[in-house]
Amino acid sequence: MVLGKGKRVLTGALIVACLVIVGSRAPSGGPTTGARPAQAVKDVVANRVMTWNICNPCKEDNADRAADIAAQAPQVIALQEACTRDVESIRDYLERLHGLVYHVEYGVVLRSWGRCGGAPWSPGGYGEAILSAAPMTDVVSPEYPDGGSEDRGYMAVTTTVGGRPVRVFNTHLAERRQETVRADQTRVLAAAVAPYERAIVLGDFNAVPDAAELTRMWALATDADPECRAGHTGDCRPTTDWQSKFDYIFLRGVTPLAQRVYPTSHSDHHLFRADLDTT
């Protein structure tokens, strides 16, 4: 009886030890029990770009954000209000759950514990990010001279869309009711875009199409949505929960083939994507 009890205790201890070892080898930050199964996507859509303000600090699940992105599988993704830790997590989910592999570059404008967490002495980076299936070069990420109520900036990379090189910009302009600040920001941005014959400018401009502060952008480029342009009263699809068009895919020397806005429950901004003619 005593020997049998000892064997049972020893067996139980071995089982516990095995579970501890297996647990210690499990990948950190991976899907928890009950997470959606991997649904591999064959490949990205080579001529597709997308912009999305992912909303921070909204505490959304990064696996859900990755699933929203994977449903579109764009070649290039521009994210705003992006915490670096969230972007790394989204990127990891895109690869592990959806078979989509992206390079990433950041346009961090501030360190914010309130938005992005982290240790009080080392808060998380916050700003813009660009994910691209192709490598990116010539990365710049300047801040605007005046960010308004919060530091703001733009970033730019050279990458490949539809097999052709193109300069890609990503920005987030000052918050609403700061029109004069946004006007100064678009002056800086337009000056950076103007030298390029082929450019894609994505982002959250915090302004509707006929806002005066977007005049410089309309002089350089057109939005992927043909119904959205200055002074036009057509069926311009809103890109926010409050039914405003704030998110743009400005195209310079590039022609849109199709575009769509996808409402999502994981941000107060919708996903806005465009397929482009890159010939």
Side-chain angles (χ1 to χ4, degrees):
M1 293 290 290
V2 173
L3 180 60
K5 181 178 179 181
K7 287 183 178 180
R8 290 195 297 272
V9 171
L10 177 60
T11 301
L14 289 172
I15 291 172
V16 170
C18 290
L19 289 173
V20 169
I21 292 171
V22 171
S24 67
R25 293 180 179 176
S28 62
T32 57
T33 301
R36 60 178 58 77
Q39 298 177 352
V41 175
K42 183 177 180 181
D43 203 352
V44 299
V45 181
N47 65 335
R48 179 170 293 171
V49 299
M50 189 187 85
T51 184
W52 190 20
N53 182 321
I54 59 176
C55 185
N56 272 312
C58 292
K59 308 301 182 186
E60 293 292 335
D61 186 83
N62 288 322
D64 292 332
R65 287 167 165 164
D68 281 349
I69 293 170
Q72 310 306 321
Q75 171 83 41
V76 172
I77 307 154
L79 300 178
Q80 303 88 42
E81 295 196 19
C83 294
T84 54
R85 291 184 180 89
D86 286 335
V87 174
E88 284 301 321
S89 176
I90 291 167
R91 183 186 178 206
D92 183 53
Y93 279 121
L94 284 167
E95 181 173 356
R96 291 194 292 116
L97 296 185
H98 305 283
L100 293 168
V101 180
Y102 289 98
H103 303 267
V104 63
E105 295 290 349
Y106 295 97
V108 173
V109 294
L110 56 87
R111 300 280 171 177
S112 174
W113 184 85
R115 284 187 179 272
C116 298
W121 57 88
S122 181
Y126 171 82
E128 289 82 56
I130 294 177
L131 285 77
S132 173
M136 292 174 275
T137 61
D138 304 319
V139 181
V140 298
S141 55
E143 291 188 33
Y144 292 121
D146 182 1
S149 56
E150 180 180 82
D151 291 348
R152 293 290 163 91
Y154 74 87
M155 62 179 300
V157 304
T158 298
T159 189
T160 302
V161 177
R164 295 191 62 189
V166 64
R167 193 66 170 165
V168 177
F169 294 79
N170 180 18
T171 192
H172 186 192
L173 299 190
E175 295 174 345
R176 287 176 288 180
R177 297 179 295 279
Q178 299 180 66
E179 293 84 354
T180 57
V181 175
R182 287 196 299 274
D184 287 340
Q185 291 172 347
T186 55
R187 175 181 52 79
V188 173
L189 180 62
V193 174
Y196 295 93
E197 294 182 359
R198 286 170 45 81
I200 303 170
V201 187
L202 309 105
D204 175 6
F205 284 73
N206 270 318
V208 295
D210 59 356
E213 58 265 36
L214 295 188
T215 301
R216 288 185 176 88
M217 291 307 302
W218 291 122
L220 286 174
T222 57
D223 188 55
D225 185 346
E227 298 297 324
C228 296
R229 56 183 186 269
H232 187 55
T233 57
D235 185 22
C236 180
R237 291 290 303 276
T239 62
T240 64
D241 285 352
W242 52 93
Q243 297 301 303
S244 292
K245 163 76 171 179
F246 274 11
D247 304 274
Y248 295 82
I249 300 175
F250 283 111
L251 302 174
R252 178 173 170 82
V254 181
T255 303
L257 294 175
Q259 52 76 36
R260 286 195 64 180
V261 174
Y262 292 86
T264 172
S265 60
H266 304 124
S267 175
D268 54 358
H269 285 250
H270 308 333
L271 289 78
F272 180 31
R273 76 126 210 252
D275 295 340
L276 309 175
D277 181 359
T278 57
T279 57

